[in-house]
Amino acid sequence: MQCSVCGAEAEDLTSGEFDGLVVRCKRCGEYAVADGALNDFLRLDYDARVAALEKAKGAAGAGRPEITPGLL
Ligand SMILES: [Zn+2]
């Protein structure tokens, strides 16, 4: 799959445990995008997607960042 943030080749870690996409990218790290945020997230430009991921990382602390509708 392609990374939803930067478009690089990435690993799809999506499982039934999370309602959305889970991605591991060499550049962006591991992150999740909630189903409810996915369409809006993919419509953002590159800089805005990176900013959203940074915001999710800040909110997640040591855990896996999750891009949720409230974050966009
Ligand atoms: Zn990436």
Side-chain angles (χ1 to χ4, degrees), residues 1-62:
M1 74 175 298
Q2 282 189 315
C3 173
S4 304
V5 176
C6 71
E9 184 60 31
E11 205 178 329
D12 185 357
L13 301 182
T14 302
S15 75
E17 289 161 39
F18 178 72
D19 210 10
L21 272 184
V22 182
V23 180
R24 184 191 287 148
C25 170
K26 279 186 190 132
R27 288 164 72 176
C28 308
E30 192 176 321
Y31 62 91
V33 186
D35 263 347
L38 191 59
N39 282 342
D40 288 341
F41 182 68
L42 294 177
R43 252 183 245 129
L44 298 173
D45 64 24
Y46 173 77
D47 288 340
R49 293 197 304 272
V50 170
L53 178 59
E54 287 306 314
K55 213 160 136 189
K57 283 180 177 171

